[in-house]
């Protein structure tokens, strides 16, 4: 594969296997997290499979990704199957598999998705972009954890809610706001928008000031932008906001919003996350 490609494009590159609805990719060390690839890049690979499919109708509208197990090093296969096509919407079932120790395929990720043909109609936002310091006024921070290679793939400028330096157990607001984009900068598309929707560290780490073991169980991304809005956003920084809602008995949920610099809402997401004492 060409080394001239952006690391993101290398990470989500898929090739058809010759089996209907099936594509092969390789887990990218450029987006490695603690025990496997960063969850956002897995979601992006699934979006990529849909968009490469010759029967794809329209553009991504939503995707729900369920992380059944960590994706391991090496090759994986994605089955992206359109199960119902209507006039303006199309429904998908997806699985990501890898061989186990005996070489038998095992499902590690499942997903459902909807693509749609958008049309111009009445539109309004009930959640305008908050007033924050401009990206140029906010200092860029180095990767928060050296062991997580994926953090080097993003430029991050925290407005509010960076992780506290001390794990003192003092409870805090779980709200984070930061300016973020691919590193190096890359024009935004649906796959990269899916990936950046998962760019936030676990809300429990901020809420409790303790870095307990945690991992996303399921995430849903809603794409509010069409191709024109993504083209307008280009490779500029996005304002990303996330907040936890309920932390209880080992799981918490988190909502997130992403806006372009012009104030256009591009995507929202909701996820449920496991955490351990």
């Amino acid at each position: 594969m060409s080394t001239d490609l952006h690391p993101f494009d290398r990470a989500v590159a898929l090739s058809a296997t010759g089996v209907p609805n099936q594509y092969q990719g390789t887990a990218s060390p450029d987006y490695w997290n603690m025990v496997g690839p960063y969850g956002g890049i897995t979601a992006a690979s699934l979006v990529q499979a849909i968009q490469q499919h010759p029967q794809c109708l329209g553009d991504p509208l939503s995707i729900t990704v369920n992380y059944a197990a960590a994706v391991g090093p090496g090759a994986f296969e994605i089955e992206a199957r359109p199960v119902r096509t209507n006039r303006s919407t199309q429904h998908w079932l997806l699985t990501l598999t890898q061989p186990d120790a005996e070489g038998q395929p095992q499902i590690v990720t499942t997903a459902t998705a909807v693509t749609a043909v958008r049309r111009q109609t009445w539109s309004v936002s009930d959640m305008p972009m908050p007033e924050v310091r401009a990206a140029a006024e906010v200092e860029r921070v180095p990767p928060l954890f050296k062991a997580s290679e994926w953090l080097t793939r993003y430029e991050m400028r925290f407005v509010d809610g960076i992780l506290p330096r001390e794990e003192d157990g003092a409870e805090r607001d779980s709200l984070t706001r930061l300016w973020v984009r691919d590193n190096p900068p890359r024009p935004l598309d649906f796959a990269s928008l899916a990936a950046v929707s998962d760019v936030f560290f676990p809300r429990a780490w901020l809420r409790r000031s303790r870095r307990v073991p945690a991992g996303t169980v399921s995430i849903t991304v809603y794409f509010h932008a069409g191709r024109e809005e993504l083209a307008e956003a280009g490779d500029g920084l996005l304002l990303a906001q996330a907040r936890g809602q309920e932390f209880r008995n080992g799981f918490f949920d988190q909502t997130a919003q992403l806006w372009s610099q012009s104030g256009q809402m591009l995507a929202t997401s909701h996820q449920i996350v496991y955490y351990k004492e």
Side-chain angles (χ1 to χ4, degrees), residues 25 54 96 102 113 126 138 154 158 163 165 191 196 201-202 214 227 261:
L96 189 153
E102 286 72 41
D126 267 359
V138 182
Y154 289 99
F158 284 85
L163 278 175
R165 292 181 179 274
V196 79
F201 52 78
R227 297 188 184 195
Q261 284 186 294

Side-chain angles (χ1 to χ4, degrees), residues 209-228:
S209 299
R210 288 183 58 196
R211 296 172 195 172
V212 296
T216 301
V217 177
S218 180
I219 182 173
T220 297
V221 179
Y222 299 104
F223 302 92
H224 302 294
R227 297 188 184 195
E228 291 183 0

Side-chain angles (χ1 to χ4, degrees), residues 22-248:
Q22 190 179 84
Y23 301 89
Q24 186 176 75
T26 303
S28 172
D30 289 332
Y31 286 85
W32 210 253
N33 200 1
M34 301 293 185
V35 296
Y38 155 60
I41 205 68
T42 301
S45 297
L46 295 165
V47 171
Q48 184 76 0
I50 292 170
Q51 293 197 281
Q52 282 188 213
H53 198 289
Q55 297 176 24
C56 181
L57 174 73
D59 294 319
L61 183 67
S62 69
I63 186 167
T64 297
V65 182
N66 305 305
Y67 300 95
V71 178
F76 59 78
E77 291 182 347
I78 293 175
E79 181 186 48
R81 184 161 56 95
V83 295
R84 175 73 185 232
T85 301
N86 301 317
R87 180 178 298 179
S88 59
T89 60
Q90 189 174 48
H91 299 258
W92 296 78
L93 290 177
L94 303 102
T95 57
L96 189 153
T97 62
Q98 281 189 311
D100 61 13
E102 286 72 41
Q104 297 300 311
Q106 296 291 312
I107 293 175
V108 294
T109 307
T110 67
T112 59
V114 180
T115 58
V117 176
R118 300 176 185 270
R119 60 187 178 88
Q120 293 295 320
T121 185
W122 174 84
S123 304
V124 69
S125 178
D126 267 359
M127 185 173 282
M129 186 170 76
E131 294 185 8
V132 299
R133 288 176 291 158
E137 300 174 4
V138 182
E139 183 180 0
R140 181 176 179 177
V141 301
L144 297 177
F145 305 103
K146 293 181 179 179
S148 296
E149 181 63 25
W150 74 270
L151 289 169
T152 67
R153 305 279 81 84
Y154 289 99
E155 175 183 341
M156 297 184 180
R157 299 170 182 264
F158 284 85
V159 178
D160 300 296
I162 193 170
L163 278 175
R165 292 181 179 274
E166 300 295 331
E167 295 185 59
D168 56 13
E171 295 194 3
R172 293 171 166 83
D173 194 316
S174 66
L175 175 67
T176 288
R177 290 174 176 151
L178 74 154
W179 292 102
V180 60
R181 64 178 168 186
D182 288 297
N183 178 41
R186 173 189 179 278
L188 193 66
D189 57 24
F190 290 105
S192 60
L193 184 55
V196 79
S197 295
D198 192 35
V199 78
F200 309 96
F201 52 78
R203 299 294 85 201
W205 291 5
L206 183 61
R207 185 70 174 81
R208 298 187 63 197
S209 299
R210 288 183 58 196
R211 296 172 195 172
V212 296
T216 301
V217 177
S218 180
I219 182 173
T220 297
V221 179
Y222 299 104
F223 302 92
H224 302 294
R227 297 188 184 195
E228 291 183 0
E229 290 89 351
L230 295 184
E232 181 183 340
D235 63 0
L237 287 149
L238 308 181
L239 180 65
Q241 172 178 279
R243 176 173 241 149
Q245 294 190 117
E246 185 73 15
F247 303 79
R248 185 176 299 180

